[in-house]
Structure formats: structure tokens, C-alpha cells
Amino acid sequence: MDIIISNQSQEPIYAQIENQIKALIMQNKLKEGQPLPSMRNLAKELRISIITTKRAYEELERDGFIVIVAGKGCFVASKNIQLVREENLKEIENLLTKAVDIANMCDISYTEMQEILSMLYEGK
């Protein structure tokens, strides 16, 4: 499992781990029931504190992405991917609503907004 930690990121390390594992699950690169590295092994691999990996795994479990089985390990949970997608679409709508409100306040045109969105997509 390739997880890349950036020390320059404003995002906490546990959140970087959490978001990358969520993305791997959403992209079906990690499949239902697949085991994840132990918290200790992941911490060692990433050269970070086990407390950090523990927090990332706890957040993933809380959100229903993984299950932690005492004595057995951590596994990708069975999750309705469509439901997760809908949750993400709702978040995107909320963020875009804020962007449109700011654009209207600053008299930024629809065409300019499209250009910004295109540039952001091309940059990824």
C-alpha cells in the first residue's frame, strides 16, 4: 500500500493517511475484506508514531471504511460505495455553493469559474 506523507502539508499526518486509504477504497484499489498493514507496521514503514497510525485507523473505522478485529488485524469494511459517493457529492455541492457565493460577491463570471475549474482539473 503506497501512502505518501508530506511534511509540508497543512493537513495532519493522520488525516493524510486516512484520506489516502479512503481514496484507495473508493477507487476499488483496496477491496472489501482485504487486510491492511498493522498499525505498528504502517508506523514503521512511514517512520511515524504508532499513535498517529492508530488515530488514522480509528477515524477510518468510525467512518465505516475499515473494521478492526482484536487479535486479527484491520480489514477493509463492506461499504456501500454508492452511499459514500453520494456523501462526497453532497460535500462537493456545499463547497461549490460557497465558491459561487464568493464569485457572485466578487462579480466573477460563469465563464471565469469554468476556466478556474478546468485549470484545477488539468492540474491534477
Side-chain angles (χ1 to χ4, degrees):
M1 182 167 59
D2 293 327
I3 294 180
I4 299 168
I5 301 300
S6 170
N7 292 326
Q8 282 78 32
S9 174
Q10 297 295 322
E11 188 175 42
I13 292 173
Y14 81 88
Q16 292 179 50
I17 296 167
E18 177 187 356
N19 290 334
Q20 289 180 53
I21 292 175
K22 280 182 182 180
L24 291 169
I25 293 170
M26 290 297 298
Q27 295 164 0
N28 211 24
K29 292 180 180 174
L30 288 175
K31 303 195 184 313
E32 178 181 327
Q34 185 173 343
L36 297 175
S38 71
M39 293 176 208
R40 185 170 278 112
N41 285 343
L42 184 60
K44 185 178 177 182
E45 180 182 317
L46 297 175
R47 298 185 187 124
I48 59 173
S49 166
I50 191 169
I51 295 167
T52 304
T53 57
K54 184 177 188 300
R55 179 156 183 202
Y57 276 24
E58 286 173 346
E59 296 287 326
L60 287 163
E61 184 178 41
R62 184 200 68 204
D63 292 344
F65 282 89
I66 68 170
V67 290
I68 300 173
V69 181
K72 295 201 177 204
C74 304
F75 303 88
V76 176
S78 45
K79 180 125 174 118
N80 183 341
I81 299 299
Q82 191 60 33
L83 177 62
V84 173
R85 187 174 191 282
E86 287 298 321
E87 290 172 0
N88 287 331
L89 284 172
K90 182 179 173 185
E91 183 177 351
I92 290 167
E93 282 181 28
N94 290 336
L95 293 169
L96 287 174
T97 298
K98 289 178 186 176
V100 168
D101 290 345
I102 294 169
N104 286 331
M105 185 173 59
C106 298
D107 198 31
I108 296 172
S109 72
Y110 178 72
T111 303
E112 289 174 297
M113 289 293 288
Q114 284 180 307
E115 288 174 15
I116 293 169
L117 189 57
S118 292
M119 285 189 298
L120 291 171
Y121 258 96
E122 291 169 10
K124 293 286 177 181

